[in-house]
Amino acid sequence: TTAAHIVQRYGLQVAITGVLTLVLWIMLYFLFGEGFVFLRNTVPHDLQDETIELIFGFFFVTMMVMLAFSAAVILYGSLFRAEDVAFCMTLPVRVTRIFLYKLQEATFLASWAFIMAGTPMLLAYARVFDAHWSYYVVLVPYLVFFAYIPAAFGAAACLLLVYLLPQRRRV
């Protein structure tokens, strides 16, 4: 009944958000596609690979820093500020399991922007430069692993800060 209640009460907002997200994704796909067509047509052929490496390198380093920082902030809030953690600690569940659940939650919340910006760019690149079929096969696992690795670094930074600054903890 909870899902039905949410759809009944917020159905229009969810529908508008979904449509606008789809429109944004499609616009990004065509924008990145035009950018890659421009790059293919204007950059000399011997410099295209290096230029694309720089573009992707800059994009993924930026996303890695953003994901690590975002995951660390979200994980800190959900582990050390949330009220449900105290309740979870009373359950017959290992602390590791609670941490992994909160890490998964933080990774999901932190990585939506990366998925939203990364997939149209990677798919537009594949279309413009005629990527091999194996590119599409490894794309989804690559995106998932790329989202989890910076989140793990962010989690380690979060736990290290909490360990070094214990007076700030509230659990």
Side-chain angles (χ1 to χ4, degrees), residues 15-91:
I16 289 173
T17 302
V19 167
L20 290 177
T21 301
L22 183 65
V23 167
L24 176 64
W25 192 95
I26 290 169
M27 288 173 51
L28 283 173
Y29 174 77
F30 285 113
L31 181 70
F32 284 129
E34 289 299 314
F36 284 125
V37 167
F38 176 78
L39 188 134
R40 186 184 63 197
N41 294 335
T42 57
V43 174
H45 188 67
D46 56 336
L47 295 176
Q48 282 182 2
D49 290 340
E50 293 158 1
T51 305
I52 291 170
E53 283 180 27
L54 283 171
I55 290 169
F56 280 137
F58 183 72
F59 176 77
F60 283 109
V61 165
T62 303
M63 286 292 134
M64 185 173 243
V65 170
M66 180 198 76
L67 285 170
F69 183 75
S70 181
V73 169
I74 292 169
L75 190 64
Y76 177 77
S78 67
L79 274 179
F80 300 104
R81 296 283 186 208
E83 297 172 1
D84 65 328
V85 174
F87 171 72
C88 290
M89 297 293 262
T90 64
L91 299 174

Side-chain angles (χ1 to χ4, degrees), residues 103-116:
L103 175 62
Q104 184 176 6
E105 182 181 57
T107 303
F108 176 75
L109 292 174
S111 65
W112 72 267
F114 163 66
I115 300 297
M116 185 69 184

Side-chain angles (χ1 to χ4, degrees), residues 1-15:
T1 63
T2 306
H5 175 68
I6 290 173
V7 170
Q8 181 183 10
R9 183 159 184 199
Y10 302 106
L12 182 62
Q13 292 172 345
V14 170

